[in-house]
Amino acid sequence: MRLRLPEESPREPPTGFKIAHPVLHTDGGRAGFLGVSLGAAAPYGVLDQARCVYGRRHRVPHRRCDCGFHCVHERAVADGLLVLAEHRKAVLLEVLVLGRYIRFERGFRYARQRVRTMTVGPCPCGAAASVLADAGWGRDGQRALEAACGGCVGGRARWTLATFAERAGQGLKVLAAPGTQLVGDLPGMPELVAEAALLQARLDWFQGQLGRLGETRGGGGPETRQ
């Protein structure tokens, strides 16, 4: 006797979260994503159908295979993956789970998906990202992109967030997360005035020391020559 998984018939497609690398085809006309695990084998679009990465001829997702798209239920869990060193340059995706799916404790494995929102993290310098720049690597004609601000992008090829959304199509919304250095963390005017006063006092002391040193050398010069 074979056990069957419970079937669900939700009125609205379930929502999930995942991380991926944004990519742009070398022809510059198509944008999509590369996963960070099994999904790294092939790029996918905003609206796409999963295929078995092992080339097996079965419906996706299959109970005895780990093929299909993957996502987690909670955004906080996906955000936690972005803390890992190997995922720091990935982006956060909010997706709609479409078609057949298998529900797990922490997420879904499913056949089709629509990426609704892509959230780009800050530039490595801490400023909010304004562009997606060439990350220096790619796969199968897909150029990987990473977040950058105007001051750090340098001479690399870059695309605005709006341009990426347009080339990805299907109504994708692209957002930029706020920078990691908030205005409230910067020193205010009283702190700056105090720092300036302290620096001026140290400069005055240093100049006084130089003056006394010059007087000592000037007064002792003739006696030394005798």
Side-chain angles (χ1 to χ4, degrees), residues 38-208:
L38 288 177
Y44 57 88
V46 173
L47 179 63
D48 216 330
Q49 177 81 32
R51 302 163 186 83
C52 181
V53 295
Y54 306 107
R56 297 169 182 167
R57 298 182 179 180
H58 55 225
R59 296 179 66 187
V60 178
H62 196 276
R63 290 179 58 191
R64 298 182 180 179
C65 185
D66 55 4
C67 59
F69 292 123
H70 296 72
C71 73
V72 295
H73 297 306
E74 299 178 6
R75 175 171 181 155
V77 176
D79 278 331
L81 296 175
L82 293 172
V83 177
L84 301 177
E86 62 269 28
H87 299 157
R88 287 292 179 93
K89 296 182 179 180
V91 298
L92 177 69
L93 304 181
E94 179 187 357
V95 301
L96 287 179
V97 176
L98 306 175
R100 300 174 64 247
Y101 63 82
I102 300 175
R103 181 188 292 271
F104 296 94
E105 180 181 359
R106 301 185 66 183
F108 297 99
R109 183 159 61 90
Y110 49 102
R112 298 179 65 238
Q113 75 176 5
R114 178 187 291 275
V115 182
R116 298 177 61 186
T117 305
M118 178 180 88
T119 303
V120 181
C123 177
C125 74
S130 58
V131 297
L132 290 169
D134 188 347
W137 64 277
R139 183 172 291 115
D140 297 333
Q142 306 290 328
R143 185 201 309 264
L145 307 179
E146 65 183 23
C149 68
C152 296
V153 67
R156 292 183 292 168
R158 84 289 303 270
W159 294 264
T160 66
L161 305 185
T163 297
F164 183 90
E166 178 183 356
R167 297 184 182 180
Q170 300 291 336
L172 175 69
K173 183 184 298 184
V174 180
L175 306 174
T180 55
Q181 186 176 24
L182 303 179
V183 175
D185 296 330
L186 298 176
M189 184 58 69
E191 290 82 0
L192 292 175
V193 171
E195 288 289 340
L198 180 60
L199 290 175
Q200 185 61 51
R202 291 177 177 175
L203 181 60
D204 292 342
W205 177 85
F206 185 66
Q207 289 178 335

